[in-house]
């Protein structure tokens, strides 16, 4: 029954919130649903020291050098994957607020100046940038990341 409800909400694009005691199988349930649907996922685990910046960029070690790359959140938005946000109950309120804005409003401003926007708002922003002239239109349009139509979010939280 739970899986049917999750599937119904997932299919219409509603975010999923799984709350339960630690160790009850929230991750396994999320993974099982995505496996049944043959959907890729991106995973982030929140904690009390999570910052808004750490939601959007993450350090990677390449050939002995730390390189900052787009986080799993950005990959999920761009490529239409499901973002599984684990330990959502542990994150600071400002991080939850930013995630809420992305989920409910389809908007998020990144620290590097790029903006994540719903497909409709992204199209309008790109059109406005192109109409602006002055040669900066292409650069401004590149600053917009449209939310892929298949992007979904599952929040997992422990019951306190």
């Amino acid at each position: 029954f739970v899986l049917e409800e999750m599937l119904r909400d997932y299919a219409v694009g509603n975010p999923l919130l799984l709350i339960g005691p630690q160790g009850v199988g929230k991750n396994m349930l999320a993974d099982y649903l995505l496996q049944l649907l043959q959907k890729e996922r991106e995973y982030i685990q929140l904690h009390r020291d999570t910052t808004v910046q750490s939601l959007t960029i993450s350090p990677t070690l390449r050939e002995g050098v730390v390189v900052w790359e787009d986080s799993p959140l950005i990959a999920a938005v761009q490529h239409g994957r499901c973002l599984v946000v684990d330990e959502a109950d542990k994150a600071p309120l400002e991080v939850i607020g930013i995630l809420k804005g992305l989920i409910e409003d389809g908007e998020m401003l990144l620290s590097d100046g790029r903006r994540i926007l719903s497909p409709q708002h992204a199209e309008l922003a790109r059109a406005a940038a192109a109409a602006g002239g002055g040669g900066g239109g292409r650069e401004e349009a590149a600053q917009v990341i449209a939310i892929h139509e298949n992007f979904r979010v599952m929040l997992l939280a422990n019951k306190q």
Side-chain angles (χ1 to χ4, degrees):
F1 177 73
V2 172
L3 212 51
E4 287 176 14
E5 292 290 321
M6 289 175 65
L7 180 59
R8 202 171 299 128
D9 280 336
Y10 189 94
V12 296
N14 289 337
L16 300 175
L17 174 60
L18 303 178
I19 301 175
Q22 190 168 357
V24 77
K26 297 178 294 289
N27 269 298
M28 287 178 55
L29 191 57
D31 286 344
Y32 184 65
L33 176 69
L34 294 172
Q35 182 182 4
L36 286 175
L37 295 171
Q38 297 181 347
K39 300 290 183 185
E40 291 184 72
R41 76 168 177 120
E42 296 288 340
Y43 177 86
I44 57 174
Q45 185 172 13
L46 304 183
H47 48 82
R48 65 187 175 121
D49 296 324
T50 301
T51 63
V52 173
Q53 185 173 3
S54 68
L55 277 180
T56 59
I57 59 173
S58 56
T60 304
L61 193 60
R62 259 202 212 133
E63 299 175 12
V65 177
V66 174
V67 178
W68 292 91
E69 295 181 337
D70 284 342
S71 72
L73 182 149
I74 305 299
V77 164
Q78 288 179 313
H79 303 293
R81 298 178 184 138
C82 181
L83 178 67
V84 177
V85 181
D86 198 6
E87 308 278 347
D89 56 302
K90 305 227 179 354
L93 284 178
E94 61 269 14
V95 170
I96 297 301
I98 293 294
L99 284 173
K100 181 179 180 284
L102 176 63
I103 293 167
E104 289 184 355
D105 304 327
E107 295 185 12
M108 184 175 187
L109 180 62
L110 306 182
S111 59
D112 62 5
R114 294 179 296 167
R115 292 181 298 158
I116 296 174
L117 296 173
S118 67
Q120 300 83 0
H121 289 131
E123 189 61 37
L124 289 172
R126 288 183 180 134
R138 236 182 275 141
E139 291 172 14
E140 287 179 37
Q143 296 293 315
V144 173
I145 300 171
I147 297 174
H148 193 284
E149 65 180 333
N150 295 327
F151 172 67
R152 300 289 188 273
V153 178
M154 284 191 209
L155 295 159
L156 313 180
N158 293 320
K159 193 172 186 176
Q160 300 295 326

